[in-house]
Amino acid sequence: TGISGGDVNEGRYLQMLQSSSVVERFIKENNLLVVLFASSWDENNKTWIVDEGETPPSLRDGYELFKSSIFTVAKDRTTGVIDLSIAWNDLETASKWATDYVKFINDFLRVEETQKIDNSIAYLEAELEITSAIRRQETIYALIENEMYKKVSVKADPEFAFTVVDQLASIINQGFLRKILFSIIVVLSGIGLGIISAYALYFVKGIKHKKNH
């Protein structure tokens, strides 16, 4: 998958894209451990096959395997495009995991941003309760209005952080194995990067409008 970058949140989004906690959550929610460690899974009895004294594969084991030989993220410093790729035995699975992961990280970041906005609104409303100065109340109302504007913008866009623009598939050799490498080309979405600057511009315009009146 390829993703192109911006300035404001690009570094954090790129980190989250590769975060162990995010990858582990993706593996857990999609029940991928039994696929990643299929040779140790008894499908008929729905149980792990492990020797005495050993433990079944953990989410950390899944993450380590995912990062070492399946999942790669690389950024082109010239174009700013980030390439997210999945290497697997068949094209259908590789394409599904790559596509699902982009959707997953978008949903994850959108929920995270919405929670931050809700916390900010709650704080501002609490401040409003203990503020009697008219000018300060007007400022807080403007801030709350802008937080609501941000929340609507965040929730309205399913591709909050990353937008898919292209998909590629190729065959690679890993030792004696031949695998399908599926890459999704995506760009960093304007809503994720631009929301802070849009919010700031909106607020500054509001202040200027009040001064002119």
Side-chain angles (χ1 to χ4, degrees):
T1 301
I3 304 166
S4 99
D7 295 329
V8 181
N9 287 324
E10 179 183 0
R12 187 174 71 86
Y13 286 174
L14 184 56
Q15 287 181 339
M16 294 301 292
L17 196 63
Q18 306 172 82
S19 165
S20 60
S21 60
V22 174
V23 173
E24 287 177 13
R25 184 169 172 177
F26 176 76
I27 291 172
K28 180 179 181 180
E29 291 191 7
N30 290 276
N31 196 30
L32 297 186
L33 279 182
V34 298
V35 181
L36 298 175
F37 300 97
S39 61
S40 299
W41 176 251
D42 184 340
E43 180 62 27
N44 292 327
N45 296 310
K46 305 298 181 183
T47 187
W48 291 105
I49 305 169
V50 293
D51 294 332
E52 185 176 351
E54 293 185 349
T55 58
S58 64
L59 287 174
R60 173 57 56 168
D61 294 328
Y63 166 74
E64 295 295 343
L65 178 60
F66 219 64
K67 286 288 290 180
S68 64
S69 60
I70 299 170
F71 174 78
T72 58
V73 176
K75 178 183 176 181
D76 187 312
R77 294 183 179 277
T78 302
T79 63
V81 168
I82 303 165
D83 184 12
L84 186 156
S85 300
I86 296 289
W88 196 245
N89 303 325
D90 65 276
L91 176 60
E92 182 179 357
T93 301
S95 63
K96 176 175 171 52
W97 287 359
T99 303
D100 286 354
Y101 192 79
V102 173
K103 181 181 183 303
F104 178 83
I105 192 67
N106 272 325
D107 291 343
F108 183 90
L109 291 171
R110 185 170 56 253
V111 170
E112 180 187 70
E113 186 64 29
T114 301
Q115 289 174 341
K116 288 181 180 179
I117 294 172
D118 285 340
N119 291 339
S120 178
I121 292 173
Y123 171 79
L124 290 169
E125 289 176 339
E127 284 293 302
L128 194 60
E129 290 293 324
I130 60 175
T131 300
S132 58
I134 300 300
R135 285 190 176 181
R136 181 164 174 76
Q137 286 180 344
E138 290 177 347
T139 300
I140 293 175
Y141 277 123
L143 288 169
I144 292 175
E145 181 182 356
N146 279 280
E147 290 297 312
M148 295 301 298
Y149 164 78
K150 287 167 61 178
K151 185 174 180 179
V152 170
S153 298
V154 168
K155 296 184 73 173
D157 192 348
E159 295 183 322
F160 167 69
F162 302 112
T163 301
V164 175
V165 296
D166 200 2
Q167 300 179 357
L168 302 170
S170 58
I171 297 176
I172 60 171
N173 295 313
Q174 290 186 345
F176 294 103
L177 299 176
R178 297 186 72 190
K179 290 186 176 182
I180 300 294
L181 182 69
F182 187 83
S183 299
I184 297 179
I185 311 304
V186 300
V187 294
L188 210 55
S189 300
I191 184 63
L193 291 178
I195 193 167
I196 293 177
S197 59
Y199 157 73
L201 179 61
Y202 185 87
F203 181 65
V204 168
K205 283 184 176 179
I207 295 297
K208 287 182 177 179
H209 177 76
K210 287 181 179 180
K211 285 183 178 179
N212 292 333
H213 289 76

